[in-house]
C-alpha cells in the first residue's frame, strides 16, 4: 500500500541524510552527479540499519553530494530536511495528473514526493549538471526544484520504486479558486466535466481562453521579468530536448480584507506550520519567486503561484514514438506532442500573448522580481 | 615563424570576438561547452573575412559562448579582450618549461597565449563543465584562468596549431628575484646550472629546500585560507585524474621603500599600461587573488605571486605509459609521475608543511583573502 511505501521511504531517507551529515562538506565535483549510494535494509536490522516491519529492501540515494548542495542553495538545512521528510506521516495526495504517479506531501507542507519511472529517474540524473548550470545563472528560474532522488526496491524484485523530492508549488495555507495547467496547445486541452465540478478544478488551455480571454493582467515590470524568466527556462528545456511540460498556475483570490494582510498572515501560518524552523525565511523567499500579483479580466486582484511542471518525460526517451503516431492522426500544429523547438516556442508565445498581459494599475505588493 | 603565427591568430581572434559580440547574450547551456565555430580565411579575403598575407587557413573557436561567459565572470569585457589580443603585436616569450610550447604575451601584459597539443585541447574542452563548477563554488581558486581556446590550420595541412589564452600570473611591472616551480617531488627537481645563472631563475623543489629551509612565513589567517584553497583546487584536479601540475611562485622582494608604496605604485603602472581601461579594477582584483605577503627564512618581506600551472597534461592520456615505465626504474615515492591520488596528496602536504608556514609578525597589507 502507499502507506507502506511511504514509511519505508522515510527509513531510507532518514538513514541517507544522517549518513551524509557525517561526511565533511566539500565542493561538488562532476562525478558527484553520477554517484549512487546503496544501502541494504534487512527486516531484522543490521549494524547500521534499524529493524523494520517491511520485507527486506534496498535503498538507493542518487547523487547524494550534489543534492545536498542543491538543498543548501535553496536554503534547506540537513536537519530541517530530515524532520520535514521523516518526522511525521507523509500525506498521500490524489494524483493531479494522468501519469499514474503516486504523490505524497510532507506534513509541514514543504515538500512533494513523487514516484517516477526508471527512464525519468535516469533522465533527471543526466540533467543534473545542466540543471545546476541553469540555477547558478538564473536564480529566478521557475523550473521544478529537485531536492533528492531515491529508489526503494524489495529483494524479491516485486517492488521497485523511484521517487523525487520537489518543492511544493501550492502551499495549502492558501486557498485556490482554480488551477491552470497550460501547454500552449489546443488539442484535447479541456478539463473533463468531472474535473470542472471539483471544488478547485485544474483547467486547461481551452478553458483558460474561455475563462480569461484577456489573460492575467500584471504590472509591466513584472511582466517583463516573468516572460524573460520563462524564455530562459524554456531554452534550457529545449536544449535537453524536453517537451510536454506545463505551466502550473494556482489562483488565490485576494479579498478586500485579505489584500492588506492575507500574504503576511499566511506566511506566518506557514511559519508556525513548519515548527518555526529558522530556515523558513529561506523557504518563503524561494517560494516567493513563483508568486505574482495579477488582475483577472473582470478586475479581481489575485495572487498567482507559478511553476513549470512535468519536465522529466524526455522527448528522446518517450515522445518519439508517440509523435510518429500522433502526427499521422492530427494536424501537427494542434498536437502538443511534436518537436522540442516547436513546443517551446509555442509555449512561450502562448504565455507572453495569452496567459499574461501588461496592465498598468494600482500597485499591490508583489513578490515576483 | 612565430610572428607569422601570431598575426594569423590575431586575425582569427578578432573575427571570432567580433562575430560573438553580434550574438545576443544568453545563459550558457551544457552543449555550449562542446560547440565549435569554424571560419575559413582565404588569402584573398571573403565576404566576411579580410584579405591577408598568410596561406589560406581555417580558424576554429572552441566553446565560444562558454568562454565568453568565463571572460565575463573574470571581468573581461569583449572590447577590452579584443584590444588586448589584437591591437598590438604579441610578444614571443622564451619557453619557460620543457614542453615545446610557444608562448606569447599580449602587449598590455594581461594575457598569455600558449600553444597546446591536440590531446591537451581536447582535454580542456572535456574539463570545461567541471572547471565552471569549480569556479562557481571556489572563487579564490588558484587554477589557471582560461579565456579562450582556438585552433589555426593551413589548408595544406602543413600547420595545425591549437592555442589557449590564459591569465598572466606574473605581471612584468613587478621584478622577481626568483621563481619556483614546485611539485612536491624530489626526483630530478633541481634547476640546471644554466638556469641558476639567469637573472631570474626558475628553481625547483630541491632548490627550494636549500634556499628556504623554513619555507615562506605567512600570516596564520592567510595560511589557512591559502592551504584550504590549494586543497580544494587539488581535489578538482584529482577528480579529473590530472597530475604533474606545479605550483608557480614568483617572488617579488619588498624593499624598505617599496613596502609602503610598491604595490599601489605598480598597480597604477599596470593601470596605465593597459590604457586605463575601465575594467582594470576587475583585472587587478582577479590578479590579487594569487598574491600574498610573506617573509623569507632570513626575515625579508616579499610579495608572492602564486598559481597552479600545467594542468592540461591529463594522466589518462599521457601519463599512464610513462608511469609504467618510470615506476620500474625508480622508487615510486620520489617519482613525480605516479597516480593522481598520490600526486595530489604529496603536492598539498608539501605546500602545507614545507612551502608555507604560519608566522605571526608585523601585519603588512596583504592581498590574498
Amino acid at each position: 500500500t502507499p502507506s507502506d511505501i511511504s514509511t519505508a521511504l522515510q527509513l531510507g531517507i532518514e538513514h541517507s541524510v544522517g549518513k551524509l551529515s557525517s561526511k565533511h562538506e566539500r565542493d561538488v565535483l562532476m562525478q558527484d552527479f553520477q554517484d549512487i549510494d546503496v544501502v541494504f535494509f534487512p527486516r531484522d536490522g543490521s549494524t547500521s540499519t534499524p529493524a523494520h516491519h517491511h520485507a527486506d529492501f534496498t535503498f538507493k540515494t542518487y547523487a547524494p553530494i550534489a543534492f545536498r548542495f542543491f538543498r543548501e542553495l535553496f536554503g534547506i538545512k540537513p536537519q530541517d530536511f530530515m524532520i520535514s521528510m521523516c518526522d511525521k506521516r507523509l500525506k498521500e495526495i490524489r494524483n493531479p495528473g494522468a501519469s499514474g504517479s503516486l504523490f505524497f506531501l510532507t506534513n509541514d507542507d514543504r515538500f512533494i514526493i513523487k514516484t517516477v519511472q526508471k527512464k525519468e529517474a535516469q533522465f533527471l540524473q543526466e540533467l543534473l549538471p545542466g540543471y545546476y548550470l541553469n540555477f547558478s545563472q538564473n536564480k529566478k528560474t521557475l523550473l521544478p526544484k529537485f531536492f533528492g532522488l531515491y529508489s526503494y526496491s524489495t529483494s524479491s524484485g516485486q517492488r521497485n520504486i523511484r521517487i523525487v523530492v520537489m518543492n511544493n508549488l501550492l502551499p495549502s495555507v492558501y486557498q485556490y479558486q482554480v488551477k491552470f495547467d497550460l501547454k500552449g496547445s489546443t488539442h484535447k486541452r479541456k478539463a473533463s466535466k468531472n474535473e470542472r465540478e471539483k471544488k478547485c478544478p485544474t483547467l486547461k488551455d481551452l478553458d483558460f481562453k474561455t475563462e480569461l480571454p484577456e489573460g492575467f493582467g500584471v504590472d509591466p515590470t513584472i511582466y517583463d521579468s516573468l516572460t524573460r524568466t520563462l524564455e530562459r527556462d524554456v531554452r534550457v528545456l529545449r536544449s535537453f530536448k524536453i517537451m510536454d511540460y506545463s505551466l502550473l498556475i494556482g489562483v488565490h483570490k485576494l479579498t478586500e480584507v485579505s489584500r492588506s494582510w492575507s500574504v503576511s498572515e499566511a506566511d506566518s501560518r506557514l511559519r508556525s506550520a513548519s515548527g518555526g524552523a529558522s530556515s523558513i525565511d529561506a523557504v518563503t523567499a524561494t517560494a516567493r519567486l513563483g508568486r505574482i500579483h495579477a488582475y483577472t479580466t473582470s478586475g479581481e486582484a489575485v495572487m498567482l503561484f507559478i511553476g513549470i511542471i512535468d519536465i522529466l518525460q524526455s522527448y528522446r526517451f518517450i515522445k518519439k514514438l508517440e509523435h510518429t503516431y500522433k502526427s499521422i492522426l492530427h494536424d501537427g500544429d494542434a498536437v502538443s506532442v511534436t518537436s522540442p523547438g516547436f513546443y517551446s516556442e509555442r509555449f512561450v508565445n502562448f504565455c507572453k500573448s495569452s496567459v499574461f498581459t501588461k496592465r498598468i494599475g494600482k500597485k499591490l505588493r508583489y513578490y515576483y522580481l
Side-chain angles (χ1 to χ4, degrees), chain A:
Chain A
T1 69
S3 148
D4 269 357
I5 295 170
S6 75
T7 56
L9 288 178
Q10 287 181 316
L11 273 176
I13 291 172
E14 184 158 14
H15 187 270
S16 172
V17 176
K19 189 173 173 183
L20 197 59
S21 71
S22 71
K23 280 185 194 163
H24 207 62
E25 294 237 353
R26 62 158 177 79
D27 296 322
V28 179
L29 303 170
M30 282 307 280
Q31 57 263 61
D32 291 324
F33 294 120
Q34 264 95 56
D35 198 22
I36 303 175
D37 182 60
V38 183
V39 179
F40 181 57
F41 285 81
R43 189 187 191 105
D44 299 334
S46 71
T47 50
S48 69
T49 64
H52 55 82
H53 300 296
H54 306 274
D56 294 356
F57 69 92
T58 300
F59 192 81
K60 292 183 190 169
T61 304
Y62 295 83
I65 303 264
F67 277 112
R68 174 173 71 177
F69 180 68
F70 289 140
R71 291 194 296 266
E72 248 165 51
L73 278 181
F74 294 117
I76 300 165
K77 297 199 176 118
Q79 189 64 16
D80 294 344
F81 186 64
M82 201 183 324
I83 291 172
S84 290
M85 294 297 293
C86 306
D87 227 30
K88 289 187 179 153
R89 223 183 168 67
L90 300 173
K91 299 185 240 179
E92 198 194 344
I93 43 180
R94 292 288 298 278
N95 187 342
S99 60
S101 295
L102 290 173
F103 284 81
F104 299 95
L105 184 65
T106 57
N107 191 271
D108 64 2
D109 208 43
R110 287 175 67 180
F111 301 107
I112 281 184
I113 293 109
K114 182 189 176 188
T115 62
V116 292
Q117 295 170 23
K118 186 174 181 179
K119 294 265 185 210
E120 290 175 298
Q122 286 171 341
F123 184 58
L124 175 56
Q125 242 192 320
E126 259 185 63
L127 206 70
L128 289 180
Y131 175 72
Y132 170 79
L133 191 62
N134 175 56
F135 187 75
S136 72
Q137 298 176 89
N138 181 11
K139 300 279 181 223
K140 294 185 226 164
T141 181
L142 294 167
L143 296 182
K145 319 252 175 316
F146 296 110
F147 301 129
L149 174 63
Y150 306 95
S151 86
Y152 155 83
S153 55
T154 54
S155 302
S156 62
Q158 266 200 318
R159 196 170 256 172
N160 195 345
I161 289 168
R162 286 163 199 81
I163 60 150
V164 288
V165 180
M166 299 184 294
N167 58 322
N168 178 14
L169 268 181
L170 306 174
S172 55
V173 287
Y174 292 98
Q175 290 195 338
Y176 306 95
Q177 276 67 53
V178 62
K179 286 177 274 187
F180 291 101
D181 177 301
L182 305 173
K183 290 183 197 282
S185 152
T186 52
H187 179 63
K188 287 195 177 172
R189 300 295 300 157
K190 201 166 165 41
S192 65
K193 209 186 157 210
N194 213 347
E195 181 68 34
R196 298 181 69 86
E197 279 165 2
K198 287 182 184 169
K199 201 186 154 210
C200 172
T202 301
L203 304 182
K204 295 182 180 173
D205 301 64
L206 290 172
D207 310 305
F208 186 88
K209 287 187 176 172
T210 314
E211 300 274 330
L212 287 145
E214 292 168 41
F216 288 111
V218 296
D219 181 89
T221 314
I222 307 296
Y223 176 90
D224 291 338
S225 173
L226 176 63
T227 53
R228 173 101 183 93
T229 300
L230 284 168
E231 281 167 353
R232 296 170 80 180
D233 285 340
V234 160
R235 190 184 292 118
V236 175
L237 297 176
R238 179 180 180 163
S239 77
F240 279 100
K241 305 209 191 314
I242 295 173
M243 40 181 283
D244 224 26
Y245 44 83
S246 300
L247 186 71
L248 182 71
I249 305 180
V251 182
H252 170 68
K253 198 164 149 183
L254 296 168
T255 62
E256 279 305 319
V257 180
S258 71
R259 264 188 222 211
S260 52
W261 57 265
S262 70
V263 176
S264 52
E265 170 71 8
D267 278 351
S268 70
R269 271 197 281 163
L270 189 62
R271 195 171 288 115
S272 65
S274 63
S278 59
S279 66
I280 191 67
D281 292 331
V283 178
T284 52
T286 305
R288 279 179 184 170
L289 285 178
R291 293 188 201 174
I292 58 169
H293 268 125
Y295 293 91
T296 63
T297 303
S298 58
E300 278 182 311
V302 290
M303 184 149 68
L304 305 182
F305 292 74
I306 300 172
I308 295 172
I309 61 168
D310 289 339
I311 70 162
L312 291 184
Q313 295 186 33
S314 163
Y315 179 71
R316 283 173 294 170
F317 293 128
I318 300 164
K319 292 299 164 190
K320 253 184 180 157
L321 284 173
E322 209 174 326
H323 174 46
T324 315
Y325 171 68
K326 286 199 183 171
S327 60
I328 301 165
L329 295 180
H330 308 287
D331 170 12
D333 192 272
V335 180
S336 76
V337 177
T338 157
S339 85
F342 180 79
Y343 189 87
S344 65
E345 234 168 272
R346 187 181 58 184
F347 180 85
V348 167
N349 286 340
F350 183 64
C351 292
K352 286 172 79 170
S353 63
S354 304
V355 182
F356 304 106
T357 53
K358 288 191 194 184
R359 181 190 200 278
I360 297 161
K362 253 191 311 183
K363 281 208 183 184
L364 294 173
R365 284 169 54 196
Y366 39 70
Y367 287 83
Y368 186 90
L369 237 195

